[in-house]
Amino acid sequence: PDTDGDGLADMWELTYFGNLDQTGQSNPDDDGCDNLCEQMRGLNPTIGDTDGDRLSDGAEVFTYRTRPNHPDSDGDGLNDSTEYELGTDPRDTDTDDDGIPDGYEHEKGLDALVSNIGTDTDSDGLTDLQEYRLGTDPLNADTDGDGMPDGWEYLNGLLPTLPSAVMDHDGDGLTDLQEYLQGTNQVNPDSDGEGLPDGYEVANGLDPLVSNAGTDTDDDGLSDLEEYRLGTDPNNADTDGDGMPDGYEQAHGMPVLAPSASFDAD
């Protein structure tokens, strides 16, 4: 009902003013949007800035074409007035069209007016766009603080937001952090593919990135791969200390892990 025929619903006038004395063209809050304008848009006619974004209702309706009842018209995390101060578009969540919302870029200190698609601000191997999508910090090369760069973790199938320094994903005896420091593959227990686990090679002073299948480190007649399979020490020619090289014992059918110097095999 509009008892006085001024274009304003009686209930609306009573709610905001407590009487029917207003007219449609009145503008009691002097915000550039008269009562009819405010009623049509669901605004508060007694407050010049209904959504509190530091832009008057009238300016948002007629000048900026933003939403006067929502402080962040495009929902990008930036207040409309802040967008105008920064030069970004309050009606476009991604002013520079790089896939990263203006609000996120501003929060992280990135330039919201210049594309950051290929930029890697923290030099961790992930672009800023990838960091945004993964939830990592584009300003911190190691978001989860586990000693491994975000990019390395992502490329190796780890979660760069979950600390995994003490985990051993491939069960080779090296933690993920040790794999990173060694340069080995944390999801492949044998990075060089010669049959020796990375952890075994590192523990025995062998290079886990170079095949040791045919190498005989201790020159005992057994290759390092054979030593691994037999359980002998690739750095000790006589693992059981009985005076006979491991290779000799193996070749003559004697136990290589039990002293047999006093045995009479034949």
Side-chain angles (χ1 to χ4, degrees):
D2 178 13
T3 304
D4 53 10
D6 59 1
L8 302 175
D10 292 348
M11 183 60 69
W12 189 83
E13 288 191 82
L14 292 173
T15 297
Y16 286 107
F17 303 105
N19 55 59
L20 301 179
D21 297 340
Q22 293 290 317
T23 67
Q25 289 69 45
S26 299
N27 187 14
D29 56 9
D30 195 29
D31 62 357
C33 182
D34 62 26
N35 285 333
L36 282 175
C37 167
E38 304 251 17
Q39 177 183 251
M40 182 186 304
R41 293 168 175 79
L43 306 178
N44 189 331
T46 66
I47 300 176
D49 179 11
T50 299
D51 57 13
D53 63 358
R54 293 185 289 119
L55 295 176
S56 70
D57 293 342
E60 294 207 68
V61 172
F62 301 111
T63 303
Y64 302 121
R65 304 294 182 182
T66 49
R67 298 166 61 186
N69 55 359
H70 197 297
D72 180 8
S73 294
D74 55 12
D76 64 357
L78 284 180
N79 180 289
D80 290 342
S81 60
T82 301
E83 298 242 30
Y84 280 110
E85 292 168 0
L86 293 173
T88 52
D89 188 345
R91 295 168 297 176
D92 184 352
T93 59
D94 182 14
T95 301
D96 54 14
D97 296 320
D98 61 359
I100 310 175
D102 296 338
Y104 178 89
E105 293 188 277
H106 179 63
E107 175 190 350
K108 297 299 183 180
L110 307 177
D111 192 338
L113 295 174
V114 177
S115 175
N116 292 290
I117 290 179
T119 305
D120 180 5
T121 301
D122 56 10
S123 301
D124 63 354
L126 293 177
T127 65
D128 295 342
L129 177 59
Q130 289 175 307
E131 302 253 19
Y132 164 67
R133 290 174 173 171
L134 291 170
T136 50
D137 188 347
L139 305 179
N140 183 353
D142 181 12
T143 299
D144 54 17
D146 61 1
M148 294 173 281
D150 296 338
W152 187 86
E153 292 193 86
Y154 176 68
L155 291 175
N156 285 279
L158 302 179
L159 289 176
T161 54
L162 177 66
S164 58
V166 297
M167 296 181 184
D168 179 6
H169 278 85
D170 55 10
D172 63 356
L174 292 179
T175 66
D176 292 342
L177 179 57
Q178 288 174 312
E179 301 258 18
Y180 165 67
L181 296 174
Q182 291 287 337
T184 49
N185 189 330
Q186 63 83 37
V187 292
N188 182 354
D190 181 14
S191 296
D192 52 17
E194 94 281 60
L196 296 171
D198 296 337
Y200 175 87
E201 293 189 271
V202 171
N204 287 282
L206 306 177
D207 189 338
L209 296 175
V210 177
S211 176
N212 293 288
T215 305
D216 182 2
T217 301
D218 56 9
D219 197 28
D220 63 356
L222 292 177
S223 69
D224 293 341
L225 178 58
E226 290 175 308
E227 302 253 21
Y228 165 67
R229 290 172 175 170
L230 291 170
T232 52
D233 187 345
N235 295 301
N236 183 352
D238 181 13
T239 301
D240 55 14
D242 61 2
M244 290 177 285
D246 296 338
Y248 176 86
E249 292 187 280
Q250 172 66 9
H252 291 82
M254 291 183 280
V256 292
L257 295 175
S260 55
S262 59
F263 292 175
D264 182 359
D266 57 5

